[in-house]
Amino acid sequence: RKPPSRFSAMLLLSAGLLGLARPAAKQRLTGLFGASADPVLACPRDGSALFPERAIYGRTRREARVSAGGVRYPVADGEYVDLLASSGRGDGDGITPGRLAEEVREAFATRTQTQMFRTPVLGFLYERGWRQQFRAAGFPGIEKEYDEVSAFFEPVAAKGRGVVVDMSCGSGLMYRRLLAGRIGGSGRTLACDYSEVMLKETRRRALEQGLAPAALELLRCDVAQLPMRDGAVDAMHAGAALHSWPNLEKGLSEIRRVLRPDGGRFFATTFLRGAYPGTTSATPGQSGGGGGSFRFFESEEELRQLLIAAGFPPDGVSVRREGRGCAIVKAVLGGAAAGGGSTAAAAAPRAAVAGVAAAGMVAAAAAPPSTAAAARPPSASAAASPAPLSASGGAAAAEAAGGDGRSGVVGGAGDA
C-alpha cells in the first residue's frame, strides 16, 4: 500500500485542527504540538484537564480550551475564556428546548443578583459612581483595600509567585492592581466574573492602563461551579461580592476546594445588615425577594459560621466590621490564624503598582506544566454566580479617603 501523499497528510492535519476528528484523534493531534494540560484550570462539568486549542482560518484565528473528554470552551472574541458549564460543547451537544427553558428560568430567578450586571449600562457606570457609594457603608476604599489584600496574600504570593484569583472581578479595580503588582513574577493572576460585560470592561481598562495583553487572564465562570483544579489556587479575593451570589454556600465550598490546603488564603468584603437605611437580611441559603435581591448579613458571626460550614477551619476565619455595615472576611487553610488586622496597611504595595504602571507592563511568565487532575463529580449548582458587584473599590481618586472606623472583630487571632 502506498504511503499517504503530502497533500493527504495536510488534509488529515487540517481536519484535526478544524475539529472534525474524533476526541481521541484531537488529543493525539494536540500531543504532536507539545501542548500540555493547564495546571490550574479544569472542566467545570467533570473536573478533567483542559488543553489549549488554536486554529487558523485564513486571517482568522480561533482559540478554545478543550477538556480531556472533548468538551470545547470558547475564547470569546479573543478576550476571555467562557468556562461556564453551559458554554461547553461536546460531540452531540446542542441547544434543546429543555436546556433553553432551564437557562431562561435561571436568568429570571437571578435577575437582580447576576443578570443586571450583564448590561452595558452598569459596566459603564461601575467606576463612574456605582462603586463609590459603598463608602457610605464603611468600605475603606480601593487603595486601602489593596494594601490590606497584598499584605494578607504575601505569605503565599510574594514577588509575583503562586496563583491569585480575583473572583467576581467586576470592572477590574482590584484585578488591575493585583496584576500590576505581580508583573515579572512566575505566578498567574486570573480575573473571573459571570458577566461578559464586566470582563470586557476589565480588559478595556487594563489595556488603557498599560497592562500587556499577554498578561491578562480573564475567565467567565460560576463561583458555584469553579473551573479549577482541587488545591490549585494560592489566594483568592472577592470584593463586594458575597451578598450577590445566588448560591453562596456552594460558592464558598467551591472556593475552599480550589484553595491549596496548606496555607491557601481567601479575602472578601461584603455588606452587613444596616449598611444602608432599610436594608434587611435574607433567608439562609438564598436571598429573598422576587428575582433574588441582595443578601445583607445579620452579623460578623453569621459570615464566620458560613465559612466554617464550607470547610474553613474555625481558628482560620476572621470577620470584622468597618463603619456602618462593611464586613471584611479573612480565611486561611492549614491551621494558620487569620488576622483581624486593620486597613492601615503599609503603602509599599501601592507604590510598587504605581511605579510599574508608569514604566509600562510586560507579559507575565507562563505557569509551569502539570499533569491532569483527577475528575470530580459535576457540580449541582443551580444558579449563575458572581455578580460583578465584586470589584474591590470605587475609582481610585474618588475613594482615596479611609473608612469610618471599625466596631468589632470576630474569629481567629493572629497577624496576617
Side-chain angles (χ1 to χ4, degrees):
R1 183 177 179 181
K2 294 176 60 180
S5 65
R6 181 177 299 177
F7 179 73
S8 299
M10 290 300 295
L11 283 179
L12 290 173
L13 181 62
S14 299
L17 289 173
L18 291 172
L20 301 178
R22 295 179 182 275
K26 285 188 287 186
Q27 291 176 32
R28 290 195 297 270
L29 184 64
T30 301
L32 290 176
F33 289 94
S36 58
D38 192 293
V40 176
L41 304 180
C43 175
R45 295 187 182 184
D46 61 14
S48 61
L50 287 180
F51 296 84
E53 180 184 77
R54 296 177 178 85
I56 299 176
Y57 309 88
R59 295 183 179 181
T60 302
R61 175 176 174 173
R62 294 183 182 177
E63 296 185 55
R65 300 295 182 270
V66 183
S67 75
V71 180
R72 179 180 287 101
Y73 297 92
V75 177
D77 303 320
E79 296 180 327
Y80 61 89
V81 186
D82 194 336
L83 289 176
L84 283 181
S86 60
S87 299
R89 293 291 180 268
D91 294 342
D93 278 359
I95 296 295
T96 64
R99 184 174 181 176
L100 181 60
E102 180 182 352
E103 291 189 6
V104 170
R105 284 194 299 269
E106 176 183 296
F108 182 78
T110 62
R111 62 186 181 275
T112 299
Q113 293 167 302
T114 61
Q115 303 305 316
M116 67 178 289
F117 297 103
R118 300 174 69 187
T119 63
V121 172
L122 193 52
F124 175 82
L125 292 176
Y126 198 82
E127 291 190 40
R128 296 177 174 89
W130 179 278
R131 186 52 168 80
Q132 287 87 326
Q133 66 182 320
F134 291 2
R135 288 185 59 198
F139 278 69
I142 183 58
E143 302 302 346
K144 289 189 176 182
E145 291 176 48
Y146 170 69
D147 286 342
E148 187 169 0
V149 169
S150 296
F152 182 60
F153 287 174
E154 184 175 5
V156 294
K159 298 182 180 179
R161 72 177 190 272
V163 176
V164 174
V165 175
D166 187 16
M167 181 58 58
S168 297
C169 65
S171 59
L173 271 168
M174 183 63 76
Y175 176 70
R176 301 194 304 268
R177 288 162 173 80
L178 288 171
L179 180 59
R182 290 165 52 79
I183 289 294
S186 59
R188 296 169 68 175
T189 312
L190 285 63
C192 302
D193 209 291
Y194 183 78
S195 168
E196 313 93 314
V197 169
M198 289 299 187
L199 289 169
K200 288 176 177 288
E201 183 70 3
T202 293
R203 179 180 174 83
R204 185 189 71 78
R205 287 181 175 274
L207 296 178
E208 187 177 77
Q209 181 177 315
L211 292 160
L216 306 180
E217 288 197 68
L218 310 180
L219 310 176
R220 186 182 182 215
C221 64
D222 180 348
V223 71
Q225 199 169 9
L226 288 176
M228 299 169 192
R229 301 184 183 211
D230 295 358
V233 176
D234 294 277
M236 184 177 295
H237 169 264
L242 274 61
H243 56 279
S244 64
W245 293 350
N247 195 342
L248 173 64
E249 288 77 5
K250 178 60 178 174
L252 292 175
S253 294
E254 279 288 273
I255 291 170
R256 166 64 180 84
R257 177 185 65 80
V258 304
L259 284 175
R260 54 182 272 193
D262 58 339
R265 294 180 169 233
F266 177 52
F267 185 107
T269 54
T270 189
F271 290 97
L272 294 167
R273 186 173 183 178
Y276 298 106
T279 56
T280 61
S281 61
T283 57
Q286 177 64 46
S287 297
S293 56
F294 298 128
R295 179 173 180 173
F296 288 76
F297 299 95
E298 288 283 358
S299 65
E300 298 94 316
E301 182 61 22
E302 180 190 4
L303 281 163
R304 183 171 179 270
Q305 291 302 323
L306 283 166
L307 267 76
I308 293 172
F312 288 90
D315 63 346
V317 180
S318 169
V319 184
R320 80 169 189 269
R321 179 187 292 263
E322 289 278 349
R324 193 161 60 187
C326 169
I328 295 183
V329 180
K330 295 180 181 181
V332 182
L333 294 178
S342 73
T343 54
R350 184 166 68 235
V353 172
V356 174
M361 307 301 159
V362 296
S370 173
T371 55
R376 69 177 187 273
S379 168
S381 166
S385 75
L389 259 181
S390 57
S392 298
E399 293 200 352
D404 298 320
R406 78 177 193 225
S407 59
V409 177
V410 174
D415 186 8

